[in-house]
Amino acid sequence: MKKLIAAMALSLTQLVTPAQAEEQAPKTVTTEQVAREIRTNTQYLSRHALRKAKALMEAYGDFAPFGAGLLPNGDVKYVWAVKPGEGIENINAPLVLDAIRRALATQADSGRILGSAVIYQYKGDEQPQINIELEYLTGFAQILATRYRESDAGIEYGEGVMGTFDAMIFVENRGNSAN
């Protein structure tokens, strides 16, 4: 029995030699690899979010602000304060946006999501647009604005324009404050 235990111990130590352990050690991740991951994942999330916003516009002609979270397995889950198709005539958009951001921040703080998107319509003095606030767990924050107009042929969308903004979802040291 002692010989069997000694033989097993010897074979276990031979499974991974120091040279093999060195080869199996994690490789150093470059800043370019991180940047590529952020770019790939936020583009993926923005495509899902914009597609959903366009579908809501086509189906209902309008939509309340909503959110989306990118899960580690690649799924995109949506966050609704006002469900699609419900009346939005008298909603308080800033209050809805705050609720969406808080829900996504809770998911971010618990490590359940890699990225977030907050999607809403902006109807300023110029042509209306769909805004998508994109954030990633690294602190990356970017906004995508896609202008649109209604015509006899339906809704026509322009090219998206990217800009920067201050992160609101993936914020370090949020703690238990009411941010």
Side-chain angles (χ1 to χ4, degrees), residues 62-138:
D62 210 353
F63 64 87
F66 66 99
L70 176 62
L71 303 178
N73 69 358
D75 287 348
V76 174
K77 298 293 182 184
Y78 294 97
V79 177
W80 309 99
V82 178
K83 293 188 181 192
E86 288 184 1
I88 61 170
E89 304 80 43
N90 296 317
I91 68 163
N92 181 332
L95 186 64
V96 171
L97 280 168
D98 186 55
I100 297 294
R101 288 183 181 121
R102 284 178 187 262
L104 288 168
T106 298
Q107 297 300 308
D109 290 346
S110 67
R112 291 189 180 125
I113 60 174
L114 298 176
S116 69
V118 176
I119 305 97
Y120 56 93
Q121 295 176 74
Y122 175 75
K123 297 178 181 177
D125 295 336
E126 295 182 28
Q127 193 173 355
Q129 61 194 40
I130 296 171
N131 286 351
I132 303 174
E133 297 172 358
L134 296 162
E135 293 187 42
Y136 202 69
L137 66 94
T138 58

Side-chain angles (χ1 to χ4, degrees), residues 5 10 15 23 25 46-47 50 93 102 112 123 137 141 158 162 179:
I5 293 172
L10 179 61
L15 286 176
E23 288 174 11
S46 70
R47 282 192 305 273
L50 187 57
R102 284 178 187 262
R112 291 189 180 125
K123 297 178 181 177
L137 66 94
M162 298 295 229
N179 287 348

Side-chain angles (χ1 to χ4, degrees), residues 1-11:
M1 183 69 156
K2 288 182 182 179
K3 287 182 184 179
L4 179 62
I5 293 172
M8 287 175 57
L10 179 61
S11 65

Side-chain angles (χ1 to χ4, degrees), residues 24-41:
Q24 293 174 358
K27 303 281 187 223
T28 303
V29 178
T30 67
T31 54
E32 178 52 36
Q33 288 170 319
V34 172
R36 188 173 31 250
E37 176 187 326
I38 293 167
R39 197 171 38 251
T40 300
N41 286 345

